[in-house]
Amino acid sequence: MSTTHATSETFDRNARAALADPVLHGALRNLADSFVVRRRNAIASAGDWEDLRERARSIKDETLLHLDEYLERFTENAEKAGSTIHWARDGKEACEIVLGLVRAQNANMVVKAKSMAGEEIHLNEALEAAGIEPVETDLGEWIIQLAGETPSHIVVPAIHKTKQQIADLFVEKVGIEKTDNVDVLTQTARRILRQRFAEAQVGISGVNFGVAETGTILILENEGNIRLTTSLTKTHIAVMGIEKVIPKFADLDVFLKLLPRSGTGQRLTAYQSLITGVKNNADDIGPDELHIVMLDNGRSRMLAHPLTRQSLACIRCGACLNACPVYQQIGGHAYGSVYPGPIGAVITPQLFGLSKAKQLPYASSLCGACREVCPVKIDIPALLLHLRSEIAEGSTRESQPTRKLGESIAFRMYSRIWSRSGTYALSIRAARLAQRFVARNGKIGKVSGMLALLVPPLGAWTERRDAPVVAPKSFREMWREKKK
Amino acid sequence: MMHSSSHSNARSSIFASIRENLAKSEPFNEEHQEAKSEPRTGVLFVETNTSEVFRESLEMVGAKCTFVENEIEAADRLRSIVGDRSATEIIVSDSELVHRIVNAAGINAIQDASRDELFSSAIGITSAQWAIAETGTLVLESGAERHRLASLVPPVHVCIVTTSSIRQSMAEILKLMDPDANRAITFVTGASRTSDIELTLAIGVHGPGELYVVVIKDQ
Ligand code: SF4
């Protein structure tokens, strides 16, 4: 697929390609139907949902305002329980630390549990370059790895692929008979990955929450591959963004109510692993070593402003992706970032630089669906506007999204005509006359040719959606008639 | 070990960056604001039958749940789940409760299974230290029982719990946890599952595809 290696710089082009891809649309059609409905049903079982959201946000706000103290407490308690803490300023440092740890075990293969932080620092590429084979064990991630692609969703990485495509992939890569049975595909993954688990010495995971009070890391999942990764291996390496810390063990309650309901529409995912250091008894089951790699990679910068700081409250549930009308149409790859969708449009420019992702803050109609579903009440539209104004202010003309010459002349004209009531009324009457030739059933379909040239941006607007017609009478006109 | 100078450099520069950026932030409130961690409406105390709620929640997540009066009945139930499997296919944790019931049922099983035995086993039998009624969750504490792999690797997990270990909510359970004494606490809600292919539910991807819960009523 052409969008696989898309970058954020070329968002416009990627989005166009995605819109024209019928297979992608087939794959994405499930998103709104299943996830959105499941989420709605699940939050009904949570009691006072608004109260939960507010509590979660206030816990995150308090933590972020004193992030240094909570990180000190977390790492101190984790070390007391036998974890080894590492610090990485950026992705390169984090990868080097992980490579050093894997080499120290003389391992030439590692099993991996899905981790967005791992994706963010391109850990697989670093491992491969060092001759170490990374084996993704989450079903979706494994599919993506077999296909040589990148995830297109932060919870369901292979959402852009249809069952047919996955079946073809399995036929080609692991030599099964062609099937359209999801259970057969799933059991194939189980069978093959079991062998890898049996031989693995080192496991790499992410972290959902790190508890300062106890030094505990909590990881949620449904499949069981994270439990296997963190209990069968001798060495467990966890890559954790510095914003993942929360103050108290009891705070987990709120987040365990919010995250599964928002992410997959479950009351609780099948498994939560709460790991505190290493086993305190040599006979016990579990790794001998736990290494936690604390990753900054641009996060501390976001603390500088109350508006940008809230991006760090994100618990990566994916609800804003599922609810977003833009994401629903174009999928994740078009964003050209490991973090797609509304939250991706907000954190990609902040993590990797505004200049690399100038189009992303514009990839939104500001409808507010993301803000409405976000379990930690992140004001994503406000953040998008903030980033847009930074782009507009801080940068030179060419950094602004390009608007065609015709369009900018047209917009200047519209603003002249429509800022005076006389010329406004005149223009509306003219539009009513003109639209007779193009309107059908109260809508204007695809406009091209002369008319598109004469009335920009009507051509672009109607390329993929209908334009509404001007009403036969305006409200003012009706009002006047009534008063007579 | 890894504690090179680059470690301390990275640590101190991350902390410096955190403090610097927080200091820039307006308005900057030095005081800790007590995070709003208590619910706004004090939790209504509803007299509920936690066992009944637990049973319903387990059914909702597809676990097969049986309530029995005593350990003898539990042994009967276990025998019918195990069927005519051989000893090499059944592994158990080191729980005394499990051992008593497995013995009463006349089942031969392996404790402290090797990796090979684990991976070829058909059933794993463990107990759980606690259970959460409102979500149908089993709580496994590593300090109390070596059940981390027996509950995970075999395709079928049988878990034996007593009614006295059931609590209504996650909040109550979190208060009971001692993460220092239990270095791995695992919450289990239903069988292993995935929706990674076209969001279609598939059961038993990496963990057990079947979960049986036998609940013994305390006298
Ligand atoms: S921004 Fe909110 S809704 Fe989006 S992934 Fe993060 S927590 Fe979920």
Side-chain angles (χ1 to χ4, degrees), chain A residues 24-93:
Chain A
L24 179 65
H25 283 174
L28 289 173
R29 74 171 186 263
N30 299 312
L31 195 72
D33 301 345
S34 346
F35 265 5
V36 174
V37 175
R38 280 184 220 169
R39 173 187 168 277
R40 205 178 304 136
N41 294 340
I43 67 177
S45 69
D48 194 340
W49 185 250
E50 277 314 301
D51 187 45
L52 282 171
R53 293 172 81 201
E54 267 158 36
R55 283 156 65 198
R57 183 55 189 278
S58 93
I59 292 167
K60 281 286 187 183
D61 281 347
E62 155 66 16
T63 318
L64 292 170
L65 259 183
H66 303 276
L67 189 58
D68 50 342
E69 290 171 45
Y70 285 112
L71 280 174
E72 267 169 359
R73 211 172 299 163
F74 169 74
T75 53
E76 201 182 295
N77 286 324
E79 276 173 340
K80 243 186 248 161
S83 321
T84 310
I85 302 290
H86 308 264
W87 297 89
R89 276 167 286 210
D90 53 31
K92 194 166 153 278
E93 274 187 2

Coordinates of all heavy atoms in Angstrom, one line a residue, chain A residues 24-93:
Chain A
L24 N -9.1 0.0 1.9 CA -8.9 0.6 3.2 C -10.3 1.0 3.8 O -10.6 0.8 5.0 CB -8.1 1.9 3.1 CG -7.8 2.7 4.3 CD1 -7.0 1.9 5.3 CD2 -7.1 4.0 4.0
H25 N -11.2 1.5 3.0 CA -12.5 1.9 3.5 C -13.3 0.7 4.0 O -14.0 0.7 5.0 CB -13.3 2.6 2.4 CG -12.9 4.0 2.2 ND1 -13.3 4.8 1.3 CD2 -12.0 4.7 3.0 CE1 -12.7 6.0 1.4 NE2 -11.9 5.9 2.4
G26 N -13.1 -0.5 3.3 CA -13.7 -1.7 3.7 C -13.2 -2.1 5.1 O -14.0 -2.5 6.0
A27 N -11.9 -1.9 5.3 CA -11.4 -2.3 6.6 C -11.8 -1.4 7.7 O -12.0 -1.8 8.8 CB -9.8 -2.3 6.5
L28 N -11.9 -0.1 7.4 CA -12.2 0.9 8.4 C -13.7 1.0 8.8 O -14.1 1.6 9.8 CB -11.7 2.3 8.0 CG -10.2 2.5 8.0 CD1 -9.9 3.9 7.4 CD2 -9.6 2.4 9.4
R29 N -14.6 0.4 8.0 CA -16.0 0.6 8.2 C -16.4 0.0 9.5 O -17.4 0.4 10.1 CB -16.8 0.0 7.0 CG -16.9 -1.5 7.1 CD -17.8 -2.2 6.2 NE -17.6 -3.6 6.6 CZ -16.8 -4.5 6.0 NH1 -16.2 -4.2 4.9 NH2 -16.7 -5.7 6.5
N30 N -15.6 -1.0 10.0 CA -16.0 -1.6 11.3 C -15.8 -0.7 12.5 O -16.4 -0.9 13.6 CB -15.1 -2.9 11.6 CG -15.3 -3.9 10.5 OD1 -16.4 -4.2 10.2 ND2 -14.2 -4.4 10.0
L31 N -14.9 0.2 12.3 CA -14.4 1.0 13.4 C -15.6 1.8 14.1 O -15.8 1.6 15.3 CB -13.4 2.1 12.9 CG -12.6 2.8 13.9 CD1 -11.6 1.8 14.5 CD2 -11.9 3.9 13.3
A32 N -16.3 2.6 13.3 CA -17.4 3.4 13.9 C -18.5 2.4 14.5 O -18.9 2.6 15.6 CB -18.0 4.3 12.9
D33 N -18.8 1.4 13.7 CA -19.9 0.5 14.1 C -19.6 -0.2 15.4 O -20.3 -0.1 16.4 CB -20.2 -0.5 13.0 CG -20.6 0.1 11.8 OD1 -20.9 1.4 11.8 OD2 -20.6 -0.5 10.7
S34 N -18.4 -0.9 15.5 CA -18.2 -1.7 16.7 C -17.6 -0.9 17.8 O -18.2 -0.9 18.9 CB -17.2 -2.9 16.4 OG -17.0 -3.1 15.0
F35 N -16.5 -0.2 17.6 CA -15.9 0.4 18.8 C -16.7 1.5 19.4 O -16.8 1.6 20.6 CB -14.5 1.0 18.4 CG -13.4 0.0 18.7 CD1 -13.6 -1.3 19.1 CD2 -12.1 0.4 18.5 CE1 -12.6 -2.1 19.4 CE2 -11.0 -0.5 18.7 CZ -11.3 -1.7 19.2
V36 N -17.3 2.3 18.6 CA -18.1 3.4 19.1 C -19.3 2.9 19.9 O -19.6 3.4 21.0 CB -18.5 4.4 18.0 CG1 -19.4 5.5 18.5 CG2 -17.2 5.0 17.3
V37 N -19.9 1.9 19.4 CA -21.1 1.4 20.1 C -20.7 0.6 21.4 O -21.3 0.8 22.4 CB -21.9 0.4 19.1 CG1 -23.0 -0.3 19.9 CG2 -22.4 1.1 17.9
R38 N -19.6 -0.2 21.3 CA -19.2 -0.9 22.4 C -18.8 0.1 23.6 O -19.1 -0.2 24.7 CB -17.9 -1.7 22.1 CG -18.3 -3.0 21.4 CD -17.0 -3.9 21.2 NE -17.0 -4.5 19.9 CZ -16.0 -5.1 19.4 NH1 -14.8 -5.1 20.0 NH2 -16.1 -5.7 18.2
R39 N -18.1 1.2 23.2 CA -17.7 2.1 24.2 C -18.9 2.7 24.9 O -19.0 2.8 26.1 CB -16.9 3.2 23.5 CG -16.6 4.4 24.5 CD -15.9 5.5 23.8 NE -15.9 6.7 24.7 CZ -16.9 7.5 24.8 NH1 -18.0 7.3 24.1 NH2 -16.8 8.5 25.7
R40 N -19.9 3.1 24.1 CA -21.1 3.7 24.6 C -21.8 2.8 25.7 O -22.2 3.2 26.7 CB -22.1 4.1 23.5 CG -23.0 5.2 23.9 CD -23.9 5.6 22.8 NE -23.2 6.0 21.5 CZ -23.6 5.5 20.3 NH1 -24.6 4.7 20.2 NH2 -22.9 5.9 19.2
N41 N -21.9 1.5 25.3 CA -22.5 0.6 26.2 C -21.7 0.4 27.5 O -22.2 0.3 28.6 CB -22.7 -0.8 25.6 CG -23.7 -0.7 24.4 OD1 -24.5 0.2 24.4 ND2 -23.6 -1.7 23.5
A42 N -20.3 0.4 27.3 CA -19.5 0.1 28.5 C -19.5 1.3 29.5 O -19.5 1.0 30.7 CB -18.1 -0.2 28.0
I43 N -19.6 2.5 29.0 CA -19.5 3.6 29.9 C -20.8 3.7 30.7 O -20.8 4.2 31.8 CB -19.1 5.0 29.3 CG1 -20.2 5.5 28.4 CG2 -17.8 4.9 28.6 CD1 -19.8 6.9 27.8
A44 N -21.9 3.1 30.2 CA -23.1 3.1 31.0 C -23.0 2.3 32.2 O -23.7 2.5 33.2 CB -24.2 2.6 30.1
S45 N -22.0 1.4 32.3 CA -21.9 0.5 33.5 C -20.9 1.1 34.5 O -20.6 0.5 35.5 CB -21.4 -0.9 33.1 OG -20.1 -0.8 32.6
A46 N -20.4 2.3 34.2 CA -19.3 2.8 35.1 C -19.8 3.8 36.2 O -19.0 4.4 36.9 CB -18.3 3.5 34.2
G47 N -21.1 4.0 36.3 CA -21.6 4.9 37.3 C -21.4 6.4 36.8 O -21.7 6.7 35.6
D48 N -20.9 7.2 37.6 CA -20.7 8.6 37.3 C -19.5 8.9 36.4 O -18.4 9.1 36.9 CB -20.6 9.4 38.6 CG -20.8 10.9 38.4 OD1 -20.7 11.4 37.3 OD2 -21.1 11.6 39.4
W49 N -19.7 8.8 35.1 CA -18.6 8.8 34.1 C -17.9 10.2 34.2 O -16.7 10.3 34.1 CB -19.2 8.6 32.7 CG -18.2 8.5 31.6 CD1 -17.9 9.4 30.6 CD2 -17.2 7.4 31.4 NE1 -16.9 9.0 29.8 CE2 -16.5 7.8 30.3 CE3 -16.9 6.3 32.1 CZ2 -15.4 7.0 29.8 CZ3 -15.9 5.5 31.6 CH2 -15.2 5.8 30.5
E50 N -18.7 11.3 34.2 CA -18.1 12.6 34.3 C -17.2 12.8 35.5 O -16.1 13.3 35.4 CB -19.2 13.7 34.3 CG -19.7 14.1 33.0 CD -18.6 14.3 31.9 OE1 -17.7 15.1 32.1 OE2 -18.6 13.5 30.9
D51 N -17.6 12.3 36.6 CA -16.8 12.3 37.9 C -15.5 11.6 37.7 O -14.5 12.0 38.1 CB -17.7 11.8 39.0 CG -17.0 12.0 40.4 OD1 -16.5 13.1 40.6 OD2 -16.9 11.0 41.1
L52 N -15.6 10.4 37.1 CA -14.4 9.6 36.8 C -13.4 10.3 36.0 O -12.2 10.4 36.2 CB -14.7 8.3 36.1 CG -15.3 7.2 37.0 CD1 -15.8 6.0 36.1 CD2 -14.3 6.6 38.0
R53 N -13.9 11.0 34.9 CA -13.0 11.7 34.0 C -12.4 12.9 34.8 O -11.2 13.1 34.6 CB -13.8 12.3 32.8 CG -14.4 11.3 31.9 CD -15.3 12.0 30.9 NE -14.6 12.6 29.8 CZ -15.1 13.6 29.0 NH1 -16.3 14.0 29.3 NH2 -14.4 14.1 28.1
E54 N -13.1 13.6 35.6 CA -12.6 14.7 36.3 C -11.5 14.2 37.3 O -10.5 14.9 37.5 CB -13.7 15.5 37.0 CG -14.2 16.6 36.2 CD -15.5 17.1 36.6 OE1 -15.8 17.0 37.9 OE2 -16.3 17.4 35.7
R55 N -11.8 13.1 38.0 CA -10.8 12.6 38.9 C -9.5 12.2 38.2 O -8.4 12.5 38.7 CB -11.4 11.4 39.7 CG -12.4 11.9 40.8 CD -13.4 10.8 41.2 NE -12.7 9.7 41.8 CZ -13.3 8.5 41.9 NH1 -14.5 8.2 41.4 NH2 -12.6 7.5 42.5
A56 N -9.7 11.5 37.1 CA -8.5 11.1 36.4 C -7.7 12.3 36.0 O -6.4 12.3 36.1 CB -8.9 10.3 35.2
R57 N -8.3 13.3 35.5 CA -7.6 14.5 35.0 C -6.9 15.2 36.1 O -5.8 15.6 36.0 CB -8.6 15.4 34.3 CG -7.9 16.6 33.7 CD -6.8 16.2 32.7 NE -6.1 17.5 32.4 CZ -6.5 18.3 31.4 NH1 -7.6 18.0 30.7 NH2 -5.9 19.4 31.2
S58 N -7.6 15.2 37.3 CA -7.0 16.0 38.4 C -5.8 15.2 38.9 O -4.8 15.8 39.4 CB -8.0 16.3 39.5 OG -8.1 15.3 40.5
I59 N -5.8 13.9 38.9 CA -4.7 13.1 39.3 C -3.5 13.3 38.3 O -2.4 13.6 38.7 CB -5.0 11.6 39.3 CG1 -6.0 11.3 40.4 CG2 -3.8 10.7 39.5 CD1 -6.7 9.9 40.3
K60 N -3.8 13.3 37.0 CA -2.8 13.6 36.0 C -2.2 15.0 36.2 O -1.0 15.2 36.1 CB -3.3 13.4 34.6 CG -3.4 11.9 34.2 CD -2.1 11.4 33.9 CE -2.1 10.0 33.3 NZ -0.8 9.4 33.1
D61 N -3.1 16.0 36.4 CA -2.6 17.4 36.5 C -1.7 17.5 37.7 O -0.6 18.2 37.6 CB -3.8 18.3 36.7 CG -4.5 18.6 35.4 OD1 -3.9 18.3 34.3 OD2 -5.6 19.2 35.4
E62 N -2.1 17.0 38.8 CA -1.2 17.0 40.0 C 0.1 16.4 39.8 O 1.2 16.9 40.1 CB -2.0 16.4 41.2 CG -1.1 15.8 42.3 CD -0.3 16.9 43.1 OE1 -0.6 18.1 43.0 OE2 0.7 16.5 43.8
T63 N 0.1 15.2 39.1 CA 1.4 14.5 38.9 C 2.3 15.3 37.9 O 3.5 15.5 38.2 CB 1.1 13.2 38.2 OG1 0.0 12.5 38.8 CG2 2.3 12.3 38.2
L64 N 1.7 15.9 36.9 CA 2.5 16.6 35.9 C 3.1 17.9 36.5 O 4.2 18.3 36.2 CB 1.7 16.9 34.6 CG 1.3 15.6 33.8 CD1 0.3 16.0 32.7 CD2 2.5 15.0 33.2
L65 N 2.3 18.6 37.4 CA 2.8 19.8 38.0 C 4.0 19.5 38.9 O 4.8 20.4 39.2 CB 1.7 20.4 38.8 CG 1.0 21.6 38.2 CD1 -0.1 22.1 39.2 CD2 1.9 22.7 37.8
H66 N 4.1 18.3 39.4 CA 5.2 17.9 40.3 C 5.9 16.7 39.7 O 6.3 15.8 40.5 CB 4.7 17.7 41.7 CG 4.0 18.9 42.2 ND1 4.6 19.9 42.8 CD2 2.7 19.2 42.2 CE1 3.7 20.9 43.1 NE2 2.5 20.4 42.8
L67 N 6.1 16.7 38.4 CA 6.6 15.4 37.8 C 7.9 15.0 38.3 O 8.2 13.8 38.5 CB 6.7 15.6 36.2 CG 7.0 14.4 35.4 CD1 5.9 13.3 35.7 CD2 7.0 14.7 34.0
D68 N 8.8 16.0 38.6 CA 10.1 15.6 39.1 C 10.0 14.9 40.4 O 10.7 13.8 40.6 CB 11.0 16.9 39.3 CG 10.3 18.0 40.0 OD1 9.1 18.0 40.1 OD2 11.0 18.9 40.5
E69 N 9.2 15.3 41.3 CA 9.1 14.6 42.6 C 8.5 13.2 42.5 O 9.0 12.3 43.1 CB 8.1 15.4 43.6 CG 8.7 16.7 44.0 CD 7.7 17.6 44.8 OE1 6.9 17.0 45.6 OE2 7.6 18.8 44.5
Y70 N 7.4 13.1 41.6 CA 6.8 11.8 41.5 C 7.8 10.8 40.8 O 7.8 9.6 41.1 CB 5.5 11.9 40.8 CG 4.4 12.5 41.7 CD1 3.9 13.7 41.5 CD2 4.0 11.7 42.8 CE1 2.9 14.2 42.3 CE2 3.1 12.3 43.7 CZ 2.5 13.5 43.4 OH 1.6 14.0 44.3
L71 N 8.6 11.3 39.8 CA 9.5 10.4 39.2 C 10.6 10.0 40.2 O 11.0 8.8 40.1 CB 10.2 11.2 38.0 CG 9.4 11.2 36.7 CD1 10.1 12.1 35.7 CD2 9.1 9.8 36.1
E72 N 11.0 10.9 41.0 CA 12.0 10.5 42.0 C 11.5 9.4 42.9 O 12.1 8.4 43.2 CB 12.4 11.7 42.9 CG 13.7 12.4 42.4 CD 13.9 13.7 43.1 OE1 13.1 14.1 43.9 OE2 14.9 14.4 42.7
R73 N 10.2 9.6 43.3 CA 9.6 8.6 44.2 C 9.4 7.3 43.5 O 9.7 6.2 44.1 CB 8.2 9.2 44.7 CG 7.9 8.7 46.1 CD 6.6 9.4 46.6 NE 6.8 10.8 46.8 CZ 5.7 11.7 46.9 NH1 4.5 11.2 46.9 NH2 6.0 12.9 47.0
F74 N 8.9 7.4 42.3 CA 8.7 6.1 41.5 C 10.0 5.3 41.4 O 10.0 4.1 41.6 CB 8.1 6.4 40.2 CG 8.0 5.2 39.2 CD1 7.1 4.2 39.4 CD2 8.9 5.1 38.2 CE1 7.1 3.1 38.6 CE2 9.0 4.0 37.4 CZ 8.0 3.0 37.6
T75 N 11.0 6.0 40.9 CA 12.3 5.3 40.6 C 12.9 4.8 41.9 O 13.5 3.7 41.9 CB 13.2 6.1 39.8 OG1 13.4 7.4 40.4 CG2 12.7 6.4 38.4
E76 N 12.8 5.5 42.9 CA 13.4 5.1 44.2 C 12.7 3.8 44.7 O 13.4 2.8 45.1 CB 13.2 6.2 45.2 CG 14.1 6.2 46.4 CD 13.7 7.3 47.4 OE1 13.9 8.5 46.9 OE2 13.3 7.0 48.5
N77 N 11.4 3.8 44.7 CA 10.7 2.6 45.1 C 10.8 1.4 44.2 O 10.9 0.3 44.6 CB 9.2 2.9 45.3 CG 8.9 3.8 46.5 OD1 9.6 3.6 47.5 ND2 8.0 4.7 46.5
A78 N 10.9 1.7 42.9 CA 11.2 0.6 41.9 C 12.5 0.0 42.2 O 12.7 -1.2 42.1 CB 11.0 1.1 40.5
E79 N 13.5 0.8 42.4 CA 14.9 0.3 42.7 C 14.9 -0.5 44.0 O 15.5 -1.5 44.1 CB 15.9 1.5 42.8 CG 16.4 1.9 41.4 CD 17.2 3.1 41.3 OE1 17.2 3.9 42.3 OE2 18.0 3.3 40.4
K80 N 14.2 0.0 45.0 CA 14.1 -0.7 46.3 C 13.6 -2.1 46.1 O 14.0 -3.1 46.8 CB 13.2 0.0 47.2 CG 13.9 0.6 48.5 CD 12.9 1.2 49.5 CE 13.1 2.7 49.6 NZ 12.0 3.3 50.1
A81 N 12.7 -2.3 45.1 CA 12.1 -3.6 44.9 C 13.0 -4.4 43.9 O 12.6 -5.5 43.5 CB 10.7 -3.5 44.3
G82 N 14.1 -3.9 43.5 CA 15.0 -4.6 42.7 C 15.0 -4.3 41.2 O 15.7 -5.0 40.4
S83 N 14.3 -3.3 40.8 CA 14.3 -2.9 39.4 C 15.6 -2.1 39.1 O 16.1 -1.5 40.0 CB 13.1 -2.0 39.0 OG 12.0 -2.4 39.6
T84 N 16.1 -2.1 37.9 CA 17.2 -1.2 37.5 C 16.6 -0.1 36.6 O 15.8 -0.4 35.7 CB 18.2 -2.0 36.7 OG1 18.5 -3.2 37.5 CG2 19.5 -1.1 36.5
I85 N 16.8 1.1 37.0 CA 16.3 2.3 36.3 C 17.3 2.8 35.3 O 18.5 3.0 35.7 CB 15.8 3.4 37.3 CG1 14.8 2.8 38.3 CG2 15.3 4.6 36.5 CD1 13.4 2.5 37.7
H86 N 16.9 3.1 34.1 CA 17.7 3.8 33.1 C 17.1 5.0 32.6 O 15.8 5.1 32.6 CB 18.0 2.8 31.9 CG 18.5 1.5 32.3 ND1 19.8 1.1 32.3 CD2 17.8 0.4 32.7 CE1 19.9 -0.1 32.7 NE2 18.7 -0.6 33.0
W87 N 17.8 6.0 32.2 CA 17.2 7.3 31.7 C 17.7 7.5 30.3 O 18.8 7.4 30.0 CB 17.7 8.4 32.6 CG 17.2 8.3 34.0 CD1 17.9 7.7 35.0 CD2 16.0 8.8 34.6 NE1 17.1 7.7 36.2 CE2 15.9 8.4 35.9 CE3 14.9 9.5 34.0 CZ2 14.9 8.7 36.8 CZ3 13.8 9.8 34.8 CH2 13.8 9.4 36.2
A88 N 16.7 7.9 29.5 CA 17.0 8.2 28.1 C 16.4 9.5 27.7 O 15.2 9.7 27.8 CB 16.4 7.0 27.2
R89 N 17.3 10.4 27.2 CA 16.8 11.7 26.8 C 16.1 11.6 25.5 O 15.1 12.4 25.3 CB 18.0 12.7 26.6 CG 18.5 13.3 27.8 CD 19.9 14.0 27.6 NE 20.9 13.0 27.6 CZ 22.2 13.2 28.0 NH1 22.5 14.4 28.4 NH2 23.0 12.2 27.9
D90 N 16.5 10.7 24.6 CA 15.8 10.6 23.3 C 15.7 9.2 22.9 O 16.2 8.3 23.6 CB 16.5 11.5 22.3 CG 17.9 11.2 22.2 OD1 18.3 10.0 22.4 OD2 18.7 12.1 21.9
G91 N 15.1 9.0 21.7 CA 14.9 7.6 21.2 C 16.2 6.9 21.0 O 16.3 5.7 21.3
K92 N 17.2 7.6 20.5 CA 18.5 7.0 20.2 C 19.1 6.4 21.5 O 19.6 5.3 21.6 CB 19.4 8.0 19.6 CG 20.6 7.4 18.9 CD 21.3 8.5 18.0 CE 22.8 8.2 17.8 NZ 23.6 8.7 19.0
E93 N 19.1 7.3 22.6 CA 19.7 6.8 23.9 C 18.9 5.6 24.4 O 19.5 4.6 24.9 CB 19.6 7.9 24.9 CG 20.8 8.8 24.8 CD 20.8 9.9 26.0 OE1 19.9 9.8 26.9 OE2 21.7 10.7 26.0

